[in-house]
Amino acid sequence: MKYEDADILAFISNKSKPTSASEKDAESDDNAGSDESSKARDLEKKDLEKDLLTEVPGLDSLPAFEEFPVSSAEAPMEADPHNSLNNGSNTASQALPSRSQAVPELTSSFSPDNSFVARLSGKDELPFEAFDGYDFETSGVTPSLDEAFGIVTTGIEPLEITHSGATITGYIASARRSEIRLGTYVVVPYEGGEKLFARVGKLQYRQEFAVDDATEIHSRRMLNARASPMNEADYKFLACLDPLCILYRKKSDSALTRRMADRIPRPNTPILPVTDRLEVQTGLNIPEEGVFLGHLSVGGELVKTHSEPETVAYYLRNDYFLGDPLIFRHILICGSTGTGKTFLSKNILRQFMTESNRYRLRNSPDKARKNPCLVIMDPQDEYSQLFEDNETLTEEDKFRFESENVTYGRVQSTKAFVAKVDGQKYPGDKSRAEQLEFTIPFSLVKYNSWLISAAGMSELQYIGLEVLLGDFFKSSVPHTYLNFINYIENEGTRSHYVDSGKLHESSYDGIVRRVSSRFFPKVFDQDATPITEIVDKIFKPGQISVFPTEYISSPRIRDLIVLTIMSLIVDNKLNTTGIDAIKETPIVLALDEAHRYLSRANGEHARLIISRFADAARQGRKEALGLFLITQDPQDIDDTVFKQVNTKLILNLNNDAAISSLNVPKEYERRIPYLKKGQMIIHSPDNSDIVEILGLSNCVVRHR
């Protein structure tokens, strides 16, 4: 029995074939045949239909139609007489494509081939109905096929978006799979010009066909060096997108802005890389200007755009447009030893010391704007190098800095203030910055008794110490540390307080033991200018005042010096009658090894320190006091201070407790132990979304 191709497809569609007049005559002749012949033909037709459906996968999903026309150009010149299915016209093998032809070959395009569409546009072609999913003119989306990573697909999971999250899956073409990383930023266009700005949140492979590759035979074949490598075309590479926002313009000439992701893209919409720097900055809410911190990156590689310059600079908001500058809401830099904390800190702190960077003081009578004074507690004697240029910078480095508003070069107003300590000498050979020597007068202890109190002092002992200090400073003798020790060690003084019941005997003796330290005489009241007399030289607008402590061998004396400077700043900032030089100057206090001075309170001594600096942190916005904390142990900083820190720059950390204390999203927590030198995560909710950046590869000042 012979069948025409139209007969075969008519069987599949369960529809009758249109017949011509000659064919109707032939049918009338056939009707004269026996019923048995008719039944035999029917059986043969059913068998052939079954065979065709088996040989052509997916044929049952084809749209219903009656015949498949073959153009004269594609038809053979003459029939094959030896073909059992030939009836003098097109054969079934010609009408039905082979397996390789049954499904059109995938190309790099995301729309139907133009020539294919043209062939279907004629009046004699197939009666397909228009399918909106491929109507790009309607959607207004013109995908860039050369740049697209892939398409949005519903073949794996349905597209959905809710108030709590979204499920948007993209199929990534095999040619672009190596370019996708966790955290890669992409855009998906909507009709009307809007774009979904998203980040890749998950990557996965799925098998193209339902086969089992978890077998011994398969594993041995793959491990065999002579075996063919894996063909990625056999797998689906999927990227799950985390929508960050929708980018849009209210009018064609208005500024680009963003709103929450409140709609989903259409299926088969292209997924495109971000090529416009403004789209990245708007999508991540990064200011276009401010204090430069680094360049946006993903997986340690810089994000590059088609803009000039091609990298995306990350700035910290430093104006009053949306409130106070973020420096007065405090910055934390944390990282393990050797990750580049000092290098990064120099590059950032230098940005604050430009002539154009000025802040206003709320309590100033004239509301004048002033340059800040940068005060640095320097335990490694490295920050006095802000006075020196980096001689290794090339002209290309300088051009790149200038193109992205990165300030570089020495700060001539840098000065080193050196505490005179008996038996210790500051070498001062790392820079040519001016050095001024000072001493700490014991008179500062009058209102800061915790400067000489020991960490283990009880609350009763601390109260007793304040009573003793109050009476001592009322006396007419010179108010020095040695005179105070002679005062409390005097037996008559002891009898006065103990016998009168003002202090318990054990408390009095405990106070004497704890304040009689061999270290205090080496730092109090030395032969140098008291720091209280050079306050106006330390706190000057536009000046960098460095307090090095590396030359001091005793940690107890180092802590005393640092706490003295800190208390001098805090007391005068918080008190209404503070010294004008401090009260009326914006101050950025950079505190290296911050965990040593702001650790969790484990006694009365620590509690008093923390409460004082917690108040300073809370009022920093009002008093123009910004804390710049540098530490390798962020988990040790007291919570009351830590909660006031708005901007966190996180370098490599391997301590789980330290990582957990930073309160960053889980997906970023997992990255922290793998950050390379100079690579960091920035968590600054009032400035931008959480991002990864790379710091500069060169220091803007000397760094040795």
Side-chain angles (χ1 to χ4, degrees), residues 535-537 539-541 573 578-587:
V535 169
D536 57 338
K537 295 182 179 180
F539 303 100
K540 294 175 63 176
K573 277 292 187 183
I579 300 173
D580 290 344
I582 299 176
K583 192 75 175 173
E584 299 180 4
T585 301
I587 295 176

Side-chain angles (χ1 to χ4, degrees), residues 358-566:
R358 295 171 177 266
Y359 303 112
R360 65 170 180 252
L361 296 165
R362 296 183 183 180
N363 297 328
S364 176
D366 55 359
K367 302 292 183 181
R369 291 177 177 249
K370 296 182 179 180
N371 296 114
C373 175
L374 175 56
V375 181
I376 306 175
M377 302 293 108
D378 186 4
Q380 302 296 329
D381 194 18
E382 294 178 304
Y383 291 94
S384 60
Q385 295 176 0
L386 287 163
F387 182 78
E388 306 290 349
D389 288 321
N390 184 355
E391 305 90 342
T392 65
L393 291 181
T394 64
E395 291 301 318
E396 182 180 353
D397 294 330
K398 296 176 182 179
F399 176 80
R400 188 175 68 253
F401 290 160
E402 291 169 359
S403 67
E404 295 188 325
N405 297 323
V406 178
T407 305
Y408 66 93
R410 59 184 293 207
V411 180
Q412 297 186 21
S413 60
T414 303
K415 296 181 180 180
F417 292 89
V418 182
K420 186 170 184 178
V421 179
D422 187 25
Q424 309 286 309
K425 182 173 178 59
Y426 174 61
D429 55 352
K430 292 189 176 181
S431 78
R432 298 168 296 163
E434 180 183 357
Q435 300 173 19
L436 285 80
E437 197 173 51
F438 70 93
T439 186
I440 298 176
F442 188 72
S443 59
L444 287 175
V445 180
K446 180 178 181 179
Y447 299 107
N448 297 283
S449 56
W450 47 269
L451 288 175
I452 62 170
S453 63
M457 187 173 284
S458 66
E459 184 176 359
L460 288 176
Q461 289 175 336
Y462 189 83
I463 294 174
L465 175 61
E466 290 190 320
V467 172
L468 292 172
L469 286 171
D471 291 343
F472 170 73
F473 281 108
K474 292 176 182 177
S475 64
S476 58
V477 299
H479 300 148
T480 64
Y481 172 75
L482 292 178
N483 284 340
F484 176 68
I485 294 299
N486 291 332
Y487 173 74
I488 62 175
E489 288 182 346
N490 184 277
E491 188 62 30
T493 305
R494 182 181 185 279
S495 299
H496 170 72
Y497 286 98
V498 172
D499 295 344
S500 63
K502 290 183 178 180
L503 291 174
H504 191 274
E505 181 179 6
S506 60
S507 295
Y508 188 94
D509 293 340
I511 293 171
V512 174
R513 287 195 307 271
R514 293 181 183 279
V515 300
S516 299
S517 171
R518 60 188 178 89
F519 298 111
F520 291 153
K522 295 181 179 182
V523 63
F524 282 120
D525 307 313
Q526 295 297 304
D527 184 18
T529 305
I531 192 172
T532 51
E533 297 180 11
I534 58 171
V535 169
D536 57 338
K537 295 182 179 180
I538 298 174
F539 303 100
K540 294 175 63 176
Q543 179 173 290
I544 298 179
S545 300
V546 182
F547 290 85
T549 57
E550 183 189 32
Y551 67 100
I552 302 172
S553 59
S554 169
R556 182 79 180 274
I557 296 178
R558 289 187 190 181
D559 294 350
L560 174 61
I561 293 170
V562 172
L563 290 173
T564 298
I565 307 304
M566 292 170 64

